Amino acid sequence: MNQDEQSKLQQEVSRSDKARQILENQVFKESFEKLKDLYTTSLFNTGVNENETREKLWLAVHIVQKVEQNIQEVLDTGKLAKKQLEDYRSQIKNNKF
């Protein structure tokens, strides 16, 4: 593994730490839950002729989910990068002895 690859993996680990902080942040959790509840409740309470409103609310629910999913993917990618770095460092350490 060259220096650039190590640097890229370290950046992924750093991003993962930031993603974890976001996902564990109570204000973030509460905000996203509130938005999902609001949009879902509003979606189910639309009238028969409110197709455009329903479509917009459906989109809003899915956007909130996609944002959370994206942050989770950053977290997961960083976990894998951390494991790769640990394995590489362990391999180097074992080869030195």
Side-chain angles (χ1 to χ4, degrees), residues 9 21 32 35 37-38 61 87:
L9 289 174
Q21 289 173 357
F32 269 61
L35 285 172
D37 289 344
L38 173 68
V61 168
D87 290 349

Side-chain angles (χ1 to χ4, degrees), residues 16-30 32 67-76 79:
S16 177
D17 290 340
K18 292 174 185 172
R20 182 186 45 75
Q21 289 173 357
I22 292 170
L23 290 174
E24 291 177 355
N25 182 289
Q26 194 60 37
V27 173
F28 174 84
K29 287 181 190 180
E30 290 171 5
F32 269 61
V67 170
E68 275 185 310
Q69 181 182 7
N70 183 266
I71 297 169
Q72 184 64 49
E73 287 172 2
V74 170
L75 175 66
D76 294 341
K79 286 179 182 179

Side-chain angles (χ1 to χ4, degrees), residues 33-86:
E33 285 306 313
K34 186 175 181 177
L35 285 172
K36 286 189 281 188
D37 289 344
L38 173 68
Y39 294 148
T40 302
T41 300
S42 298
L43 178 63
F44 286 114
N45 288 323
T46 56
V48 174
N49 297 322
E50 295 181 282
N51 291 332
E52 187 176 333
T53 301
R54 232 182 339 273
E55 288 173 4
K56 288 178 182 178
L57 288 166
W58 181 88
L59 184 60
V61 168
H62 284 84
I63 287 171
V64 170
Q65 290 172 345
K66 288 289 184 186
V67 170
E68 275 185 310
Q69 181 182 7
N70 183 266
I71 297 169
Q72 184 64 49
E73 287 172 2
V74 170
L75 175 66
D76 294 341
T77 299
K79 286 179 182 179
L80 292 173
K82 184 176 182 178
K83 177 73 172 124
Q84 285 180 300
L85 284 170
E86 288 171 354

